[in-house]
């Protein structure tokens, strides 16, 4: 890959990290506050004001940790919390956590603010105040090795594993070589690849943990009675679970795997990391992630500044907080959905470009979006966000071995 000639500028945060965006987040703390929060964001009508939230009323440590992580993500500059007033989420604790991170934050409680209309009006005013504060934020130089990039595949078909996914892998290798942090996940879609990944692990202990991580995903799926192979995958030409797994695996490139993390764990240094998205303990939460955006949210909680989303059949989703770059594997899909696709990896199949050339194009897109250009889903206003119940145990030291 060619060396970067772009100058990245980041928004400095008190914890030393830097953001490539400076968004205001409006976060509902229970589904009962969702409508009011959505109306606040709609009335403000600004691409840099994002709606997120947690629908549940019953407490869940995972959800609480995720909300703390995403509300203090480097791309977030200010936060408005919207509470009904009787949900279990620790709203004051979350508010203090955000303020302690150096960010401006406000809280509205619907039961104390006069109801729907008055809370919406107060919320619009609060967001405008936050925007005014953020407008005074000065940027600072940001190096490529401060960037965290994730990848996910959705709507995969028979072309995904031979064009878009391996092209993302080439981009990942280039980013890792320059000190950036890259993250891949979907452990349920990596069944059968655990031994290959173990061979790439930085230490034998990490390799064993990777094997156990995939075995956990296999047990989870078997217990719940489902797998990662969906009807749409078959309709798109994928024939076996192994074929899908190898295609998903190719997004990781060929670099050494430096660590195994769980949602909310921020990698301590540059390198390639595997994100374990399957809950720990006995299976009890249904699908590990009910949609691709649930996994994007988990990567955001791990600090991802942006996400590379590969698709063969087509997907139009984006994400709140962190931009999504769409890489389309299938040239026919790209032709139909060109307005939603940032990169046409289908050129590999038509002979118009090589794998290395598309990998370079993706790499340049990463730099462009990190430098401030908007991805297509971002410009279209996509701000999907899903957060549900899960349970995870803390990672151990073998998950993050010290690299030599």
């Amino acid at each position: 890959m060619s060396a970067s000639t772009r100058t990245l500028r980041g928004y400095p945060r008190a914890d030393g990290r830097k953001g490539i965006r400076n968004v205001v987040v409006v976060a509902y703390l229970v589904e009962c506050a969702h409508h009011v929060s959505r109306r606040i964001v709609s009335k403000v009508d600004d691409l840099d004001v994002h709606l997120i939230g947690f629908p549940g009323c019953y407490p869940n440590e995972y959800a609480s940790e995720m909300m703390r992580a995403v509300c203090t993500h480097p791309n977030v500059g200010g936060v408005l919390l919207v509470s009904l007033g009787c949900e279990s989420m620790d709203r004051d604790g979350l508010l203090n956590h955000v303020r302690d991170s150096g960010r401006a934050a406000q809280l509205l409680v619907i039961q104390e603010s006069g109801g729907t209309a008055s809370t919406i009006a107060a919320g619009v005013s609060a967001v405008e105040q936050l925007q005014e504060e953020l407008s005074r934020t000065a940027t600072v130089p940001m190096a490529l090795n401060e960037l965290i990039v994730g990848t996910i595949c959705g709507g995969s078909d028979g072309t995904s594993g031979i064009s878009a996914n391996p092209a993302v892998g080439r981009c990942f290798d280039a980013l890792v070589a320059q000190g950036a942090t890259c993250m891949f996940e979907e452990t349920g879609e990596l069944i059968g690849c655990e031994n290959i990944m173990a061979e790439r692990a930085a230490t034998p202990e990490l390799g064993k943990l990777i094997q156990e991580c995939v075995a956990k995903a296999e047990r989870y799926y078997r217990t719940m009675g489902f797998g990662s192979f969906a009807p749409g995958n078959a309709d798109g030409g994928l024939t076996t679970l192994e074929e899908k797994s190898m295609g998903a695996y190719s997004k990781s490139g060929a670099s050494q795997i430096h660590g195994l993390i769980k949602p909310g764990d921020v990698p301590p240094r540059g390198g390639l990391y595997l994100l374990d998205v399957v809950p720990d303990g006995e299976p009890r939460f249904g699908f590990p992630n009910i949609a691709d955006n649930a996994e994007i949210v988990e990567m955001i909680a791990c600090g991802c500044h942006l996400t590379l989303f590969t698709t063969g059949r087509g997907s139009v989703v984006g994400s709140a907080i962190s931009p999504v770059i769409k890489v389309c594997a299938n040239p026919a899909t790209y032709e139909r959905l060109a307005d939603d696709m940032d990169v046409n990896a289908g050129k590999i199949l038509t002979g118009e470009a090589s794998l290395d050339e598309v990998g370079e194009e993706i790499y340049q897109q990463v730099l462009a979006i990190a430098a401030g250009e908007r991805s297509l889903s971002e410009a279209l206003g996509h701000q999907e966000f899903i957060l549900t119940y899960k349970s995870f145990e803390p990672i151990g030291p073998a998950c993050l071995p010290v690299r030599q």
Side-chain angles (χ1 to χ4, degrees):
M1 302 285 171
S2 59
S4 171
T5 57
R6 290 181 180 268
T7 301
L8 301 184
R9 305 286 300 181
Y11 297 93
R13 307 304 179 196
D15 62 4
R17 296 187 292 173
K18 298 168 186 174
I20 63 171
R21 298 291 185 270
N22 200 28
V23 303
V24 172
V25 157
V26 177
Y28 58 91
L29 306 185
V30 66
E31 183 62 23
C32 305
H34 190 165
H35 172 75
V36 169
S37 303
R38 184 174 62 248
R39 291 292 292 145
I40 292 169
V41 173
S42 176
K43 282 182 173 292
V44 174
D45 192 23
D46 189 316
L47 289 177
D48 291 321
V49 178
H50 293 199
L51 176 67
I52 71 168
F54 175 61
C57 189
Y58 187 79
N60 178 255
E61 183 58 30
Y62 160 80
S64 297
E65 289 284 350
M66 294 291 286
M67 287 293 286
R68 288 193 285 268
V70 297
C71 285
T72 56
H73 185 278
N75 289 351
V76 175
V79 178
L80 170 63
L81 304 178
V82 184
S83 161
L84 174 62
C86 55
E87 70 278 352
S88 63
M89 180 71 71
D90 179 9
R91 59 178 181 268
D92 292 325
L94 179 57
L95 178 67
N96 290 332
H97 178 79
V98 176
R99 286 176 172 170
D100 289 344
S101 74
R103 290 164 175 80
Q106 297 192 37
L107 168 67
L108 290 175
V109 181
I110 296 171
Q111 292 171 348
E112 301 172 3
S113 299
T116 297
S118 60
T119 307
I120 291 172
V124 170
S125 177
V127 169
E128 291 173 347
Q129 292 175 26
L130 291 169
Q131 288 178 304
E132 173 62 26
E133 291 188 52
L134 295 193
S135 69
R136 298 191 290 269
T137 306
T139 59
V140 297
M142 181 175 177
L144 187 57
N145 63 11
E146 296 177 276
L147 197 63
I148 304 180
V149 182
T151 187
I152 184 175
C153 51
S156 299
D157 69 6
T159 68
S160 298
I162 53 179
S163 59
N165 290 4
V168 165
R170 299 295 174 91
C171 173
F172 262 29
D173 288 340
L175 289 169
V176 170
Q178 297 189 57
T181 302
C182 292
M183 186 183 309
F184 70 111
E185 39 67 72
E186 296 175 300
T187 47
E189 296 190 5
L190 292 170
I191 295 170
C193 300
E194 58 271 20
N195 294 333
I196 306 173
M197 291 189 292
E199 292 174 358
R200 293 171 56 191
T203 65
E205 293 78 13
L206 175 60
K208 182 179 179 182
L209 289 174
I210 290 173
Q211 291 171 320
E212 293 173 352
C213 167
V214 177
K216 178 184 68 172
E218 187 174 17
R219 288 193 304 273
Y220 196 105
Y221 282 172
R222 185 169 58 248
T223 301
M224 288 297 187
F226 59 81
S228 67
F229 198 93
N233 299 140
D235 291 342
L238 285 169
T239 58
T240 63
L241 178 62
E242 290 79 8
E243 183 182 7
K244 186 178 183 185
S245 291
M246 288 303 295
Y249 167 77
S250 66
K251 301 196 306 298
S252 67
S255 303
Q256 185 180 65
I257 299 175
H258 297 129
L260 173 66
I261 58 177
K262 297 180 182 181
D265 295 324
V266 177
R269 61 189 72 85
L272 179 65
Y273 294 81
L274 173 62
L275 173 61
D276 177 9
V277 300
V278 176
D280 292 325
E282 292 300 316
R284 57 193 177 103
F285 288 109
F287 281 81
N289 279 316
I290 59 177
D292 296 322
N293 281 89
E295 296 179 36
I296 293 177
V297 168
E298 291 179 331
M299 288 192 288
I300 291 171
C302 293
C304 282
H305 291 94
L306 54 85
T307 302
L308 298 171
F309 191 129
T310 68
T311 184
R313 302 202 68 191
S315 173
V316 300
V317 301
S319 176
I321 299 177
S322 295
V324 169
I325 298 174
K326 291 285 182 42
V327 182
C328 188
N330 191 318
T333 301
Y334 181 83
E335 186 174 347
R336 291 194 304 271
L337 299 173
D339 290 344
D340 288 276
M341 301 296 151
D342 298 279
V343 177
N344 177 17
K347 292 183 294 185
I348 297 169
L349 303 180
T350 60
E352 301 171 72
S354 68
L355 188 59
D356 285 334
E357 288 171 337
V358 174
E360 170 72 18
E361 183 178 351
I362 298 168
Y363 173 77
Q364 293 299 331
Q365 276 282 356
V366 168
L367 298 180
I369 303 306
E373 293 183 20
R374 293 197 187 273
S375 70
L376 289 178
S377 64
E378 187 181 14
L380 287 166
H382 281 282
Q383 296 182 10
E384 286 80 359
F385 187 93
I386 303 172
L387 179 58
T388 56
Y389 291 97
K390 282 189 177 183
S391 179
F392 285 96
E393 299 169 0
I395 60 173
C399 292
L400 297 172
V402 178
R403 289 188 290 149
Q404 302 299 321

